[in-house]
């Protein structure tokens, strides 16, 4: 994916190959949100009118740049994790020992595959937090971009939640399943915050 | 943008240049959704178990491929429309004639700039419609991707709505403003449909 143009990546996503798929798309939704937060910070920093928000914007810019890099890495990691699950399901299951080994390999791969969208959800929640931190002090000319960033991060949260559940549904370790569900629920608290930002931006633009 | 990798495009989005911005991001959210619909169709078509849904999938695939191409074109068109608005605001305003000409140019550019996100909203609504058409007959192995496609198209609708309002807010022609608002409202009816699909997919995965 690193060398592909945008159109090539989208064609890959659309192709009959199951990866890249929804996991990579979720990570890219988070990356789009992070990139827009960076843009808003970049267009607010150094403007005398927004001087009182300078420290907030400088700090948010660093965090947003980091979130974008993490999200891009997660888009790649997801395809690798998916391949590992597929490979595990293809292991031989002729003997008792093979079946036990295959089952162990599947469970390990599912654990890793669930961690990627959990991490995506964490990054998306962080992006929502950055949107909340900058929305009041953002350059009004790019206020709409804060709203789009929040909408994108919200989609990443919804998408990551679906992808976590797909992987945990087949997990046999109830404890691991519950830990993943608890971590996910914590990140999903940001959905309401994201919706509030989208609404607030819409109202300020209309007024 | 056509020759850029995803990382380059995201870096461009994050940069202090105001375009590409939220308009291009909205179009890409729609493109991600369309690409995932294509993937799901591609992984369902030809499978005996889903034979009864073959015609639906074949037709949805054609529409999704078309929607992806349109969304990609809109991401590019948005940057051009934004540049036209910026250029119009920079026109001279020394004389009465110059002011009238500048004002006319700004209004014309705003009209075009509002049309791009309106078109993005239409494409996103079409993607939601495709998700609704395929969700019941989709290969269960990629059911989650239908949910991610709907979440992405939903973000495109929210984002496009913000971008339409940004451009119409400065329009002096009340009739044009109302026509844009009416067209937007029609597309936004798909937000509830998208949310319903995300929820339904989440429930089917958990069960």
């Amino acid at each position: 994916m690193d060398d592909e143009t945008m159109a090539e990546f989208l064609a890959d996503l659309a192709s009959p190959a199951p990866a890249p798929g929804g996991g990579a798309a979720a990570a890219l939704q988070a990356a789009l949100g992070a990139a827009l937060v960076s843009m808003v910070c970049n267009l607010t920093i150094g403007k005398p009118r927004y001087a009182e928000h300078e420290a907030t914007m400088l700090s948010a810019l660093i965090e947003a740049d980091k979130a974008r890099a993490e999200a891009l890495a997660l888009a790649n990691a997801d395809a690798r994790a998916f391949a590992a699950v597929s490979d595990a399901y293809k292991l031989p299951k002729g003997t008792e020992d093979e079946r036990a080994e295959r089952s162990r390999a599947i469970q390990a791969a599912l654990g890793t595959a669930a961690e990627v969208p959990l991490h995506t959800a964490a990054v998306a929640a962080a992006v929502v937090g950055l949107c909340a931190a900058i929305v009041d002090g953002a350059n009004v000319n790019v206020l709409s971009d804060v709203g789009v960033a929040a909408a994108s991060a919200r989609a990443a949260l919804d998408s990551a939640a679906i992808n976590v559940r797909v992987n945990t549904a087949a997990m046999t370790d109830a404890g691991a399943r519950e830990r993943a569900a608890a971590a996910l629920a914590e990140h999903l608290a940001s959905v309401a915050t994201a919706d509030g930002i989208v609404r607030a931006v819409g109202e300020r633009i209309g007024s």
Side-chain angles (χ1 to χ4, degrees), chain A:
Chain A
M1 160 180 160
D2 290 335
D3 300 326
E4 286 179 321
T5 65
M6 188 75 76
E8 284 166 349
F9 169 77
L10 289 166
D12 246 24
L13 198 59
S15 81
L28 285 174
Q29 290 157 352
L32 283 171
L36 286 170
V37 169
S38 293
M39 180 184 88
V40 171
C41 293
N42 274 318
L43 286 165
T44 305
I45 292 165
K47 300 253 190 302
R49 181 173 165 192
Y50 303 101
E52 63 173 307
H53 304 291
E54 189 87 356
T56 302
M57 297 294 155
L58 284 167
S59 148
L61 176 58
I62 291 168
E63 293 302 314
D65 284 351
K66 210 178 78 182
R68 170 162 50 99
E70 282 180 0
L72 258 177
L74 285 163
N76 279 307
D78 191 78
R80 284 195 303 274
F82 180 89
V85 173
S86 283
D87 289 348
Y89 272 107
K90 285 178 201 142
L91 287 174
K93 47 182 175 176
T95 70
E96 189 84 8
D97 277 0
E98 280 177 351
R99 280 192 290 279
E101 168 54 25
R102 176 174 176 270
S103 178
R104 196 205 52 76
I106 289 171
Q107 291 303 316
L110 284 171
T112 308
E115 271 165 30
V116 176
L118 263 183
H119 194 165
T120 299
V123 172
V127 172
V128 173
L130 293 172
C131 291
I134 67 169
V135 68
D136 289 336
N139 181 335
V140 292
N141 294 330
V142 282
L143 177 64
S144 63
D145 297 286
V146 181
V148 175
S152 212
R154 202 255 203 215
L157 286 166
D158 279 343
S159 301
I162 290 172
N163 293 325
V164 169
R165 287 180 192 130
V166 158
N167 288 293
T168 56
M171 279 184 184
T172 51
D173 178 348
R177 246 190 351 250
E178 277 159 29
R179 282 192 297 279
L184 179 63
E186 205 173 301
H187 303 318
L188 291 184
S190 296
V191 166
T193 312
D195 283 347
I197 294 167
V198 171
R199 208 166 35 239
V201 166
E203 281 163 11
R204 275 179 64 190
I205 287 169
S207 67

